[in-house]
Amino acid sequence: MYEKQGDLVSIIVPVYNVEKYLEKCLDSLINQTYRNLQIILVDDGSGDDSGTICDRYAAQDNRIQVIHKKQSGVSAARNTGLEAAKGSYICFADSDDWIDEKMIETMYENMVEEKAQISIIGYDMVWEDGKPQKKSDENAYYVWNQREAIAQWMTQKIFKGFMCDKMFAREIFTGIRFPEDRSYMEDVAIGLDLFARAEKVVYSGKIGYHYLQRQGSATNSGFQERELLGIAEAEKMIRFSKEHQGIYDKEAYSRLLINVYTILERIVLTGSKKDKERIPELKKMLREYKGYIKGGAVNRYTQLFIMLVCTGVPPGIAVRLRQILVELKRILI
């Protein structure tokens, strides 16, 4: 353990109406093998007993700091946590998820060992029926320089753009805050800026973070117009690449392809009649950039379905076929 010699690590947890899940999350934080923690719980105006649960845990563990504030969204809550953070390293957790007891220790050890500014851990997704789905190769271990790490962040093949599976050196966040005018893809919005400040990034595929997949949660509900931000974020990557002599074009344009296809898929499956009016424009974008389909963000499994759409197969047929195969894959895991 690193209770005496280890650096202070601040864990920021936005909390909003999660009384059903909060105790499991907090238990996983306070029982970390790495003990030198500042656990910042930002109660974002919860209307249930979440705030009371936070206060009860704080009374039992002096590492916990609770901040009660008027509801203003997850970005503002995380920014509030950043202002209060005193640690040399920063982590985030969502209040309906939980973490492995060695997650902080593993990320910290890797960070120090590799002299990195960002440390990433593996994760799985757990449905409410308790069935997990691994999203990481537990035997994987990589150390990337800045250029390699940015390329990996754009493709998101090995890890995703989430905040909660990462540890950041405190200085990485200097002058960077989450955009408070939105509560969707707010992590992706600053991810590129953060990775552009890291000289070295370390990744371990060991499963450390557990994402609860709630029915009806933001990631499992019907298509919403805000998802179009995915295209805007990919276009930001393309601009970044152009500013750096086009060295990330393959990754950036392929990220645009996968984001466009994902939006098309969401619209086909859950979009309204008005939403479906966007399909021709999305198909046009897929055709325009299909030259970037290989060697970047698009895995072989999805390449086939993008090409089906590009060659004239009705999107509804291509998307539903892919969904059937995805569900079969999940059942068989």
Side-chain angles (χ1 to χ4, degrees):
M1 294 186 186
Y2 294 89
E3 186 169 5
K4 292 183 179 179
Q5 69 270 31
D7 297 291
L8 180 66
V9 175
S10 297
I11 307 176
I12 298 168
V13 188
V15 177
Y16 179 71
N17 288 353
V18 284
E19 59 181 6
K20 180 180 177 181
Y21 312 99
L22 185 55
E23 291 185 352
K24 184 172 185 177
C25 173
L26 298 184
D27 285 341
S28 74
L29 299 181
I30 65 176
N31 290 317
Q32 287 295 294
T33 54
Y34 190 98
R35 306 301 295 172
N36 193 14
L37 302 175
Q38 176 195 23
I39 302 170
I40 306 169
L41 309 179
V42 184
D43 174 25
D44 192 34
S46 296
D48 62 2
D49 284 337
S50 296
T52 301
I53 294 171
C54 290
D55 290 336
R56 173 160 53 84
Y57 271 76
Q60 299 169 356
D61 192 322
N62 60 14
R63 297 174 301 170
I64 296 177
Q65 175 183 353
V66 182
I67 301 173
H68 298 282
K69 62 189 293 295
K70 182 179 179 181
Q71 183 186 354
S72 49
V74 64
S75 291
R78 284 177 173 172
N79 288 340
T80 297
L82 283 169
E83 296 301 325
K86 298 176 181 178
S88 300
Y89 298 96
I90 306 290
C91 293
F92 300 89
D94 288 338
S95 52
D96 52 355
D97 300 329
W98 66 99
I99 65 178
D100 181 82
E101 65 177 3
K102 284 194 171 184
M103 190 188 89
I104 300 298
E105 178 183 341
T106 299
M107 288 200 294
Y108 177 81
E109 283 187 337
N110 293 343
M111 180 89 85
V112 173
E113 175 70 22
E114 306 296 350
K115 297 180 174 60
Q117 291 76 47
I118 300 176
S119 180
I120 309 172
I121 199 76
Y123 73 98
D124 61 11
M125 290 186 171
V126 184
W127 275 257
E128 287 195 279
D129 62 7
K131 187 170 184 178
Q133 182 179 8
K134 289 185 179 181
K135 292 292 186 176
S136 309
D137 176 1
E138 294 201 77
N139 295 315
Y141 188 88
Y142 301 100
V143 180
W144 297 303
N145 61 31
Q146 185 180 73
R147 177 171 175 171
E148 293 167 338
I150 289 173
Q152 290 293 336
W153 184 85
M154 287 183 177
T155 64
Q156 298 187 24
K157 278 189 171 182
I158 296 177
F159 62 90
K160 301 301 180 185
F162 312 135
M163 285 289 115
C164 296
D165 57 350
K166 299 173 181 66
M167 177 181 286
F168 301 89
R170 179 190 181 91
E171 62 268 18
I172 289 288
F173 270 95
T174 302
I176 295 178
R177 293 295 182 266
F178 293 92
E180 297 189 8
D181 58 345
R182 71 199 221 191
S183 58
Y184 184 77
M185 295 189 74
E186 71 285 345
D187 41 11
V188 177
I190 64 171
L192 184 55
D193 293 333
L194 295 173
F195 272 73
R197 290 184 171 186
E199 294 182 6
K200 192 181 291 186
V201 173
V202 58
Y203 171 87
S204 168
K206 290 182 180 179
I207 304 297
Y209 197 90
H210 306 285
Y211 284 96
L212 178 66
Q213 298 297 289
R214 287 195 278 161
Q215 194 66 30
S217 68
T219 53
N220 289 309
S221 56
F223 174 79
Q224 300 177 52
E225 189 168 353
R226 65 184 186 177
E227 293 177 49
L228 295 171
L229 285 169
I231 294 176
E233 290 300 330
E235 290 173 339
K236 183 192 298 184
M237 297 177 202
I238 292 170
R239 290 194 297 272
F240 180 88
S241 180
K242 298 305 180 188
E243 293 167 1
H244 292 79
Q245 294 76 48
I247 61 175
Y248 302 108
D249 277 4
K250 178 178 65 177
E251 293 83 7
Y253 279 104
S254 65
R255 171 50 49 189
L256 177 62
L257 266 180
I258 195 66
N259 286 3
V260 169
Y261 179 79
T262 300
I263 290 169
L264 185 149
E265 183 175 83
R266 292 275 290 157
I267 288 176
V268 167
L269 294 172
T270 65
S272 66
K273 183 177 179 180
K274 184 176 180 180
D275 293 329
K276 289 179 169 59
E277 293 175 0
R278 300 183 185 273
I279 289 178
E281 180 61 26
L282 295 172
K283 288 170 58 178
K284 180 180 177 182
M285 294 182 74
L286 290 178
R287 292 192 185 102
E288 183 176 358
Y289 299 112
K290 67 180 180 181
Y292 293 95
I293 198 170
K294 294 184 178 180
V298 189
N299 60 42
R300 292 181 180 179
Y301 188 69
T302 304
Q303 287 176 17
L304 169 63
F305 296 95
I306 291 179
M307 291 310 299
L308 286 175
V309 174
C310 289
T311 54
V313 174
I317 294 176
V319 165
R320 286 186 172 83
L321 176 59
R322 182 178 183 279
Q323 284 298 300
I324 290 171
L325 295 178
V326 167
E327 185 60 24
L328 284 173
K329 183 179 178 182
R330 187 172 87 87
I331 291 172
L332 293 175
I333 289 177

